Amino acid sequence: DVLIHSIDGTLLHRLTTGSRNESLAFSSDGQHLMAVIRLPDPTHLGRNEQRIRAWDVEHMKPAVDVSTNLNILTFAISESCRKLFAASEDQVATMAFPGGSTIAFRDNLRGRVRNIAISPDGTQHAACCDNGLIYLWGSEDKEWNWSSEIPQTVRASQVVRPIVIDTGNHGIASMAFTTSGELVATNSNGEILV
């Protein structure tokens, strides 16, 4: 669950998510709070559905649900609130928001994805892993828009090839883009990388 408290510690709202949340985000206009929710599998086959839900901040009521086939662990939203970048353990996808249609998808990343980020202008996407790798894509690249469904069989010539930065053996714990578009990351060794 996501708990909303006042500045004096009073519990104001409890948003039931059914999911361990590694990511929370406010929309840039401050009108929505977003988190991953897990819905029980109605077929009882053991596959829970995960969505990214946006709640209206004023009333704390669900406003938008974005469905995906990813087992979402972390996500980021662009400053324009038009793109979501979401990740499972070894997959990333960029989706339109609020509609949820897939813009781009990449799987088989080496290492468990720990965190992701979108640059303020929405043109760069990054995913960092527990093995010290950072994957960096430019969304304005013509190759970026190669997928429309998750999962999809993709020809080798269509695969989006990210820039891969090897920061060493220490896992990347967190990262963010600065307002000028530089990527800043922290690793499990306590270092800050720019």
Side-chain angles (χ1 to χ4, degrees):
D1 288 356
V2 175
L3 305 177
I4 312 291
H5 294 269
S6 67
I7 197 152
D8 68 2
T10 303
L11 179 64
L12 301 174
H13 300 281
R14 176 184 296 266
L15 306 175
T16 301
T17 62
S19 177
R20 175 180 164 208
N21 272 283
E22 296 184 18
S23 290
L24 291 174
F26 282 97
S27 59
S28 60
D29 61 9
Q31 293 185 20
H32 295 95
L33 172 64
M34 302 171 73
V36 176
I37 64 165
R38 182 177 294 129
L39 303 174
D41 178 8
T43 65
H44 305 291
L45 296 176
R47 179 159 160 56
N48 293 326
E49 181 182 355
Q50 294 209 192
R51 297 178 181 181
I52 297 172
R53 175 169 284 170
W55 286 270
D56 175 277
V57 170
E58 185 177 349
H59 302 99
M60 284 300 153
K61 301 287 183 202
V64 176
D65 279 3
V66 177
S67 296
T68 176
N69 289 336
L70 292 177
N71 183 21
I72 303 166
L73 297 174
T74 185
F75 71 92
I77 187 164
S78 67
E79 201 167 290
S80 68
C81 295
R82 293 186 190 167
K83 288 184 192 174
L84 279 173
F85 188 44
S88 67
E89 287 190 9
D90 68 345
Q91 300 172 321
V92 293
T94 298
M95 297 169 281
F97 183 77
S101 62
T102 302
I103 297 169
F105 173 78
R106 175 71 188 239
D107 61 357
N108 297 317
L109 299 180
R110 293 187 349 246
R112 182 189 183 277
V113 176
R114 301 303 263 171
N115 197 292
I116 59 177
I118 300 177
S119 64
D121 65 3
T123 62
Q124 297 181 83
H125 297 66
C128 64
C129 298
D130 61 1
N131 61 1
L133 295 179
I134 296 175
Y135 293 86
L136 182 63
W137 294 268
S139 64
E140 298 303 315
D141 296 341
K142 289 181 182 177
E143 291 183 57
W144 179 250
N145 296 322
W146 58 263
S147 176
S148 60
E149 298 294 326
I150 302 174
Q152 177 180 350
T153 303
V154 182
R155 294 186 307 277
S157 63
Q158 293 177 302
V159 174
V160 178
R161 298 199 193 318
I163 295 170
V164 181
I165 303 164
D166 189 345
T167 67
N169 293 328
H170 300 289
I172 303 299
S174 182
M175 68 179 173
F177 283 97
T178 65
T179 55
S180 62
E182 294 178 306
L183 185 63
V184 178
T186 61
N187 67 18
S188 59
N189 198 35
E191 299 170 318
I192 298 174
L193 312 167
V194 180

